[in-house]
Amino acid sequence: MIKVLYFGHLMDAFGLGKEEIDFTESLNTVGGLIALLASRGDVWRQALTQNRALKITVNKQFVEPDSALKDGDEVAFVAFMVS
């Protein structure tokens, strides 16, 4: 399982603050996780792929989309609306 946390305006946009997702081989990078989440619809896609203010952590360390994931990781997405 991968624990996924959402902070900032993402909590409101997605209607949740956290969830758990089954770890699979196709989910072996942060980018793979983003692709899975973005497939949920326009709000998800826009927030996770088109937001320059998006910050991502794995186990409380800032990472890039090509960073590896493993079973048991905690991934946090942090984004705030920029006006």
Side-chain angles (χ1 to χ4, degrees):
M1 294 293 265
I2 296 173
K3 183 176 183 180
V4 183
L5 307 172
Y6 305 103
F7 295 97
H9 82 276
L10 298 176
M11 288 176 59
D12 293 329
F14 300 157
L16 69 154
K18 64 181 176 180
E19 65 179 309
E20 290 189 348
I21 296 177
D22 288 328
F23 178 80
T24 64
E25 289 302 315
S26 63
L27 226 62
N28 62 359
T29 65
V30 172
L33 176 61
I34 290 171
L36 173 74
L37 296 172
S39 72
R40 292 179 174 176
D42 286 340
V43 170
W44 290 82
R45 181 182 47 74
Q46 191 171 39
L48 297 174
T49 65
Q50 299 175 1
N51 186 339
R52 293 177 186 231
L54 180 69
K55 302 295 181 199
I56 308 163
T57 65
V58 174
N59 302 323
K60 299 182 174 67
Q61 300 293 313
F62 286 102
V63 297
E64 297 296 324
D66 62 349
S67 298
L69 289 178
K70 63 185 181 315
D71 195 24
D73 280 346
E74 177 188 87
V75 180
F77 294 99
V78 183
F80 295 95
M81 304 227 8
V82 178
S83 49

